[in-house]
Every structure is written in structure tokens, then in C-alpha cells.
Amino acid sequence: MTPHIGQRITRQFDALSAQEQRVASFILDHFDDLAVYSAADLARLTGVSKSTVSRLFKRLGFESYRSVKDHARQLRNLGVPLVIDANAMQDEAGVPFQRHLQREQDNLQRCLNSISHQDFSALVESLDKARHLVVIGFRNSYPLALHFRQQLIQARCQVSVVPQPNQSLAEEIVDLSEQDVVVLFGFRRRPSAFAELVNALGRSPAKVALIADPTAVNFASQVAWFFETPLESLSAFDSYATANSLICLLANGVLHRRLADGRERISAISDIYADLSELESSIMSVDWNTQ
């Protein structure tokens, strides 16, 4: 990706005029709201002329302020938390509940509509039968990997999240076999080595499932399953509600494939919770015979 506007300002700041620096400093201080302001707003708020604002943007490599706004929207699509619409958190009632609900429903509908019954069933079967499940996630994807592992480990053994803190990946994937399955979470703003990891996993005999937002579609041909999971929200921060819903659906699918063994395992785990006093006392052992 070419340098974003903040990087361009930082590199050229010392060469800018005093008035241009005033505008540049304002942009850096209000970077998250960049797409909200007009060129006239920037001129008024920084006490310079509109021609100074236009001159600054041209020095930074933008033909017009429209191209700056397009640039900001591209950054948002890549996961940079920028506010695009200043009124995004308002609706007729003064709170965004209904618009937020609609956006979440749209995301979930898009996700589920893009997954075929055959692909879903094949992945669930592989998650059930695999010798070892390896779950990988970095940055924003790491909590999802942890949560998926926590769900699956209730129903079956041999589920691990890698790498462990301050550890490397090579030792964790070197022994992968055709009996193993890797679930890779790859949501946007991925680490720079993500492509190399996908290539390495592709060379392994294990089956790989990639759960990611649409910006990872170029990796789809390198994995056995690619489940596209939208993150769009009303404003700057991504929503992972759909990703968590998909995790729930997959984990329930695995449990229901091995219901008797899964119930027995959950019951045994609950007993150990009680033995170790790991959970509050209101958590009781479950009698599956009544379920």
C-alpha cells in the first residue's frame, strides 16, 4: 500500500510552510475524523485560506480534496478506524440502535448467504474428525481464535491456539499432517507475514480454513475453505458480531456431530470445575439424562 496521508505529512512536515504546517498538524490531531471535514472546514478551523489547504494536498500527492476523502475511505476499508460520516451515530430517536441492528443483520445475512451447505458441512465434519485442530489468529483475530478454541475444547480434545505469547510459529506447524485441520482467522490489518503463513500452510498436508473479511479474498484459492465474514459497522470501529456468530454455529455443529461424547466431556469438565472451585458456586454439574 502507498503511504497514507499521515505518513506523507510526517515525511514532508519540515518542508511545509508555516500555514501548511498548521493544517497538517490539525489533520494529524484529528486523523480519525479526516473524512468528516470539508476543505472549507479545514481552512476555517486552522485560520488559513482554502488555497493553502489545496496547495498542501497537492504537495502531499492528492489532486483534490475529493481524492483525499476517497483516500480516507480506502483506509477505512483496510481497517484504519476513521470516521467517515459525522452523523453516523444518530437516527430519528437520537440513538443509533435501529441502524446498528440493521447493519449487524445485513453482515450476518451476507456471511451466511455466501457459505454453501456443502462447505459448511465439510468443514464441521473435518473439525470433528481431525486428529489435531490448530487455531491461529493475530492482532484483532487473536481473541476470536481464543474464543473458537474455548468453544471447541468443550466438545473435543486436541485443540490448540498458536503461537503462544512470545513464541514462533514454525515449531507449531512443522508436524502438521493430513489428519490435522488449521483454522486461520485473518481479519484486516493483518501482519505483514500473513501471506507467507498462508503459503506455508498451503505447502503442509493439513486442510486449512480461512475465516476473514472480504479483503482476504485473494487467499481463497490457497485454502480448502474460505468463509467471508463482513466487519462493517456504523462508524470507525469494526464489528466482530458476525464472526462470533459464525464461531458459535461451527462449534455447535461439531458438538452435535459427537453429541453423546460431547455431553460426557462437558459433564466431566463441569465436575472438575467444581473440584477446583474454578467457577462461582452457582454453577452446578449438569445431568445430561434430563436434557
Side-chain angles (χ1 to χ4, degrees):
M1 179 182 174
T2 58
H4 65 65
I5 188 170
Q7 294 169 326
R8 300 184 198 189
I9 288 174
T10 301
R11 293 175 184 178
Q12 299 186 43
F13 191 84
D14 290 342
L16 301 177
S17 69
Q19 288 191 324
E20 289 170 344
Q21 287 183 351
R22 192 183 306 171
V23 181
S25 295
F26 183 89
I27 291 172
L28 292 177
D29 290 341
H30 300 82
F31 189 75
D32 291 352
D33 303 323
L34 175 60
V36 172
Y37 296 109
S38 67
D41 289 334
L42 292 176
R44 175 176 53 82
L45 292 168
T46 57
V48 303
S49 66
K50 288 183 64 176
S51 61
T52 298
V53 175
S54 298
R55 185 165 58 251
L56 170 64
F57 289 138
K58 288 182 179 179
R59 292 190 64 167
L60 296 175
F62 299 99
E63 293 183 1
S64 65
Y65 192 62
R66 179 181 294 276
S67 62
V68 175
K69 282 183 168 284
D70 290 341
H71 174 71
R73 290 187 175 88
Q74 290 171 359
L75 292 176
R76 180 67 192 93
N77 290 337
L78 292 173
V80 179
L82 296 175
V83 175
I84 302 300
D85 179 4
N87 298 314
M89 298 303 292
Q90 298 295 325
D91 61 16
E92 293 180 359
V95 290
F97 294 163
Q98 188 58 43
R99 293 177 62 203
H100 174 72
L101 174 62
Q102 186 61 55
R103 179 60 57 87
E104 297 290 359
Q105 290 175 330
D106 290 345
N107 285 346
L108 184 58
Q109 191 71 51
R110 284 173 55 196
C111 174
L112 297 183
N113 284 347
S114 70
I115 301 172
S116 70
H117 172 75
Q118 292 80 5
D119 283 346
F120 179 81
S121 298
L123 177 54
V124 168
E125 180 179 3
S126 294
L127 293 173
D128 172 43
K129 292 184 175 180
R131 179 196 64 164
H132 185 199
L133 297 182
V134 177
V135 187
I136 304 174
F138 304 98
R139 304 186 76 252
N140 289 351
S141 296
Y142 185 64
L144 297 170
L146 286 176
H147 181 55
F148 194 34
R149 186 261 180 190
Q150 183 60 27
Q151 297 298 295
L152 291 173
I153 202 69
Q154 305 291 315
R156 56 154 296 159
C157 62
Q158 296 297 310
V159 186
S160 58
V161 171
V162 302
Q164 293 300 306
N166 296 317
Q167 300 298 309
S168 54
L169 269 170
E171 298 90 343
E172 306 289 354
I173 65 176
V174 66
D175 295 321
L176 289 173
S177 76
E178 64 278 356
Q179 297 175 291
D180 302 325
V181 173
V182 177
V183 179
L184 175 62
F185 289 92
F187 290 99
R188 57 194 180 192
R189 307 201 84 182
R190 296 174 286 272
S192 57
F194 188 85
E196 286 75 12
L197 173 59
V198 174
N199 291 335
L201 292 174
R203 293 191 295 270
S204 78
K207 292 182 179 178
V208 180
L210 174 59
I211 298 175
D213 66 281
T215 64
V217 69
N218 54 308
F219 299 110
S221 62
Q222 298 174 256
V223 298
W225 301 278
F226 172 59
F227 286 0
E228 185 176 300
T229 310
L231 302 177
E232 280 73 23
S233 72
L234 295 182
S235 191
F237 298 113
D238 291 335
S239 171
Y240 290 86
T242 295
N244 279 289
S245 183
L246 180 58
I247 285 172
C248 176
L249 190 61
L250 289 168
N252 278 321
V254 173
L255 175 60
H256 279 260
R257 280 189 59 89
R258 49 170 64 212
L259 202 51
D261 290 343
R263 284 174 167 176
E264 183 177 345
R265 180 177 175 84
I266 291 172
S267 181
I269 291 171
S270 297
D271 290 342
I272 298 174
Y273 282 155
D275 292 342
L276 299 178
S277 298
E278 285 193 304
L279 301 180
E280 59 187 23
S281 58
S282 61
I283 303 297
M284 306 297 292
S285 295
V286 178
D287 182 2
W288 289 108
N289 292 324
T290 65
Q291 303 301 307

